[in-house]
Amino acid sequence: MGHPAILAPVGGTEQLTAAVRCGAEAVYLGLGDLNARRSAENFDADSLAAAAAYCRARDTALYVTVNTMLLDRERGLLDRTAEAIARAGADGVILQDFGAAELFAKRYPSIHRVASTQTAVHNLDGVRLLEDAGFQSFVLARELSLDEMAHILARTALPAEAFVHGAHCVCVSGMCALSSMLGGRSGNRGLCAQPCRLPWSCGGSGDHVLSMKDMSLLPHIRALADVGVDTLKIEGRMKRPEYVAAAVTACRAARDGASYDETILRAVFSRSGFTDAYLAGHPDGSMFGVRTKEDVTGAEGVFKDLAALYRKENPRVPLTVRFAMDGNGSRLTVSDGIRAVELSGPVPEPARTRPLDADAAARSLGKTGGTQYYVNKIETDMAGGLTLPASALNDLRRRALAALDAERSVPRPHARTDWAPAELPSHPARSTPSPLWARYADPGQAEGSGAERVILPAETLDPALVERFGDRLIAALPAVLFEPKAAEALEAHLTSLRDAGLSAVWTENLYGLPLGKRLGLAVYGGFGLNIANTRSLAVWEELGLAAAAVSFELPMGAIRALGGSLPQGIAVYGRLPLMRYRSCPIRAELGCARCGGTGSLTDRRGTAFPVECGQRRYSTLLNSVPLDISGRDDPADFRLLWFTRETPAECAAILARFRRNEPSDAPHTGGLYYRKLL
């Protein structure tokens, strides 16, 4: 078993102190607005530099989150953010956007690049794409079982992080648009309003069916290390410092095989207890829970004790101390194994009674309390018959440690190359209506479809359908694909479809690109890839994507401003997917038999949101009303109609109406296209 590092969340300076003093080997924090926790205290350029110096002096790695969906108008902000990170000498960055990853890889190649949990990497092909895109480590999806993690990690050399404690979102990370569509606060932009924690029910049952318990995998840390997890990540940049102290302390104990008090973790924060159901491979109703009065009761009582855990420095840096003394003077050298500081001390005096010996010198020079240092080895070379007062030795030691501290805290900025992104052409304005592509939930809806491209779930296809639709057909891959056996079966099925004439696939997740390319198929990217800026489009094109539907969270003005040569599409109709669930809340509350694949969830206002079933492997929460912008805008290379529960006749009528460019008179939404994206 390896010895994985503990990576702790830091929302502000006090959380930083708590994390480091309680023994985390690494911390992660946000800088400004380009991070997925914009509501945390976060850091600016100056406080980041101070935090980096503090961590350097204590042998703690520091990572900065730049893990939001970025807009073209934020390119200058990204440049300034990257420069501040490089100047501070941070060890790494945690990234979601592929355009941002390109900037760090080419301009600051010595900064370590971590793929955020927002990239939703949950199978081997997803990891392969990260390698192709230049990432140097990645965060495993929280929804994976231990066996699924083992399968991935046995087949990649890319270092992996796994969340081991903290909040669980019911939705697969990076695939949630609920907060943005309901309230304009995008989780992909770091402003999630957590509407899933509000009352939701299904079939008249339950009252908080989207609220999950926090995860706690501390009892499984040794098993995680055994399968190859390199870093144990704690969630909680919005939490108070006592939470950080409790979680880091418990994680260290569990990693080292010692006991820890789970009641303290529950007292500081929990939602009806904790869950490990994903890791254990049995996601079910036991995973769901809310924060109750019982969870809050007693919390204040433990905060004082937890604060005491980080009141003093944690001696974590070993030193070698060398002290020499003769008739000409005294010298003290302290070294951390890399840097050394040597200071001259006072001239010793002849001893009147007892000369200074090695033991007495060691007692004074070994007192490092109140600092991050401890003395691992002391060497002395002292002439006989001489002495120095203990006060002189103590002063010499204090000055030497302060000098070493200053030396260790010196900024180590990352070198900047002269790389600059190539100028990309503006996207040409359209003078004619763009083609209509239609995604159908099942082949029956597509009967007689006049769409230029027909997108159907891969699992519904057979060679006869491939022949019927010909080159118009695109096979839609599952939005999430966790099980290795399911991935193998999908690849075998796609191979048979390719042999029957299938030429293209549609993917909402990273894994689809290497899978499709391996089979010689054109790969079209869906809005689930969260592509939102021109540089990201260019990177995806370089990786092999044939076209992409950009994020439906983008305002229309931002879509019009996108450049580059990769064909771009937008969703123009449909009940858009707001969440992807591995642990279906309807299955947990009612069971699949009562749902029948046609269930829905109801919010606190009584609005019903349909849930689309994905072969019982995952489910998708759809918006309560369809997006419909017919008659309004056509700024892209293709327009995507996203059919879900419509009848074949309704599908045909809607497609015909879009051909005529007529607005809808049925209830619908313009989505986020005509709102300001925060």
Side-chain angles (χ1 to χ4, degrees), residues 16 51 61 68 95 154 159 256 280 308 316 330 356 361 370 390 538 573 585:
L16 175 66
T68 55
L95 302 156
D256 297 341
R316 58 192 300 162
S330 56
L356 181 67
Y573 172 83

Side-chain angles (χ1 to χ4, degrees), residues 233-253:
K233 189 169 187 177
I234 299 168
E235 186 278 339
R237 282 193 290 133
M238 300 289 288
K239 301 288 199 315
R240 56 192 293 167
E242 293 89 349
Y243 168 90
V244 176
V248 171
T249 300
C251 193
R252 282 185 63 206

Side-chain angles (χ1 to χ4, degrees), residues 76-131:
L77 177 58
L78 175 62
D79 287 344
R80 294 189 296 274
T81 298
E83 181 66 17
I85 292 169
R87 285 181 181 274
D91 295 276
V93 284
I94 302 171
L95 302 156
Q96 174 191 13
D97 182 88
F98 277 31
E102 175 196 47
L103 181 143
F104 279 98
K106 294 185 176 180
R107 185 174 292 170
Y108 306 104
S110 60
I111 301 178
H112 186 89
R113 300 174 299 282
V114 185
S116 168
T117 185
Q118 299 297 109
T119 58
V121 175
H122 57 277
N123 57 35
L124 186 58
D125 272 326
V127 180
R128 287 170 176 154
L129 185 64
L130 293 179
E131 291 179 307

Side-chain angles (χ1 to χ4, degrees), residues 6 172 254 256 276 347 354 365 381 392 433 523 676:
I6 296 170
V172 177
D256 297 341
D276 63 356
V347 176
R354 185 175 180 181
L365 298 175
D381 181 12
V523 182
K676 181 180 180 181

Side-chain angles (χ1 to χ4, degrees), residues 89-343:
D91 295 276
V93 284
I94 302 171
L95 302 156
Q96 174 191 13
D97 182 88
F98 277 31
E102 175 196 47
L103 181 143
F104 279 98
K106 294 185 176 180
R107 185 174 292 170
Y108 306 104
S110 60
I111 301 178
H112 186 89
R113 300 174 299 282
V114 185
S116 168
T117 185
Q118 299 297 109
T119 58
V121 175
H122 57 277
N123 57 35
L124 186 58
D125 272 326
V127 180
R128 287 170 176 154
L129 185 64
L130 293 179
E131 291 179 307
D132 291 343
F135 287 93
Q136 295 165 297
S137 61
F138 70 103
V139 183
L140 289 156
R142 282 175 250 209
E143 298 79 19
L144 287 162
S145 71
L146 185 65
D147 288 343
E148 289 162 349
M149 289 183 185
H151 177 84
I152 293 170
L153 298 180
R155 292 162 177 81
T156 181
L158 209 61
E161 301 175 6
F163 279 99
V164 294
H165 190 81
H168 246 329
C169 182
V170 67
C171 179
V172 177
S173 295
M175 295 187 173
C176 182
L178 185 65
S179 178
S180 59
M181 291 297 285
L182 297 190
R185 294 175 59 84
S186 171
N188 287 315
R189 299 272 297 156
L191 289 172
C192 180
Q194 297 191 326
C196 54
R197 302 295 182 187
L198 297 173
W200 288 78
S201 62
C202 59
S205 179
D207 56 5
H208 285 82
V209 299
L210 292 183
S211 181
M212 277 193 162
K213 295 175 180 178
D214 282 19
M215 68 149 58
S216 192
L217 308 183
L218 303 192
H220 308 285
I221 281 178
R222 291 194 169 191
L224 289 167
D226 285 343
V227 301
V229 171
D230 297 276
T231 301
L232 310 170
K233 189 169 187 177
I234 299 168
E235 186 278 339
R237 282 193 290 133
M238 300 289 288
K239 301 288 199 315
R240 56 192 293 167
E242 293 89 349
Y243 168 90
V244 176
V248 171
T249 300
C251 193
R252 282 185 63 206
R255 183 188 61 185
D256 297 341
S259 61
Y260 65 94
D261 191 344
E262 187 178 292
T263 61
I264 293 177
L265 289 176
R266 289 196 181 202
V268 74
F269 195 91
S270 73
R271 292 181 174 94
S272 306
F274 300 124
T275 180
D276 63 356
Y278 277 136
L279 192 78
H282 55 76
D284 55 25
S286 68
M287 302 181 70
F288 293 83
V290 296
R291 191 137 169 85
T292 66
K293 290 182 179 179
E294 288 74 18
D295 293 320
V296 177
T297 300
E300 289 297 332
V302 303
F303 286 154
K304 184 176 180 181
D305 291 339
L306 290 171
L309 294 176
Y310 59 91
R311 190 172 297 129
K312 297 180 180 179
E313 284 277 8
N314 174 24
R316 58 192 300 162
V317 180
L319 297 180
T320 296
V321 175
R322 297 181 179 87
F323 178 67
M325 182 180 72
D326 58 26
N328 296 316
S330 56
R331 294 175 304 282
L332 177 66
T333 303
V334 293
S335 172
D336 62 5
I338 298 175
R339 289 158 292 268
V341 170
E342 181 176 327
L343 295 181

Side-chain angles (χ1 to χ4, degrees), residues 577-603:
L578 304 185
M579 282 185 159
R580 307 282 192 187
Y581 307 126
R582 186 174 197 189
S583 181
C584 178
I586 297 180
R587 181 177 61 200
E589 188 67 28
L590 301 179
C592 292
R594 288 181 62 185
C595 172
T598 61
S600 63
L601 298 176
T602 304
D603 70 6

Side-chain angles (χ1 to χ4, degrees), residues 258-477:
S259 61
Y260 65 94
D261 191 344
E262 187 178 292
T263 61
I264 293 177
L265 289 176
R266 289 196 181 202
V268 74
F269 195 91
S270 73
R271 292 181 174 94
S272 306
F274 300 124
T275 180
D276 63 356
Y278 277 136
L279 192 78
H282 55 76
D284 55 25
S286 68
M287 302 181 70
F288 293 83
V290 296
R291 191 137 169 85
T292 66
K293 290 182 179 179
E294 288 74 18
D295 293 320
V296 177
T297 300
E300 289 297 332
V302 303
F303 286 154
K304 184 176 180 181
D305 291 339
L306 290 171
L309 294 176
Y310 59 91
R311 190 172 297 129
K312 297 180 180 179
E313 284 277 8
N314 174 24
R316 58 192 300 162
V317 180
L319 297 180
T320 296
V321 175
R322 297 181 179 87
F323 178 67
M325 182 180 72
D326 58 26
N328 296 316
S330 56
R331 294 175 304 282
L332 177 66
T333 303
V334 293
S335 172
D336 62 5
I338 298 175
R339 289 158 292 268
V341 170
E342 181 176 327
L343 295 181
S344 296
V347 176
E349 299 177 354
R352 295 181 180 179
T353 54
R354 185 175 180 181
L356 181 67
D357 59 21
D359 289 341
R363 284 195 295 272
S364 289
L365 298 175
K367 295 177 180 178
T368 58
T371 74
Q372 69 269 32
Y373 305 111
Y374 67 92
V375 175
N376 188 49
K377 182 180 181 182
I378 293 183
E379 300 173 352
T380 59
D381 181 12
M382 298 185 295
L386 300 174
T387 189
L388 278 174
S391 59
L393 292 174
N394 292 338
D395 177 68
L396 189 58
R397 181 200 69 239
R398 283 191 292 266
R399 289 193 292 118
L401 294 183
L404 181 62
D405 218 28
E407 182 72 20
R408 288 169 55 84
S409 302
V410 169
R412 296 195 292 275
H414 295 273
R416 172 176 174 154
T417 72
D418 59 1
W419 176 83
E423 289 294 327
L424 297 173
S426 299
H427 215 62
R430 296 199 60 84
S431 58
T432 59
S434 61
L436 290 168
W437 295 17
R439 176 269 189 188
Y440 300 94
D442 67 73
Q445 294 173 307
E447 191 69 36
S449 174
E452 278 80 0
R453 302 301 296 264
V454 173
I455 306 169
L456 286 168
E459 61 267 23
T460 69
L461 296 176
D462 57 30
L465 287 169
V466 173
E467 182 178 2
R468 181 190 306 174
F469 290 107
D471 289 341
R472 291 193 300 150
L473 182 64
I474 303 173
L477 306 180

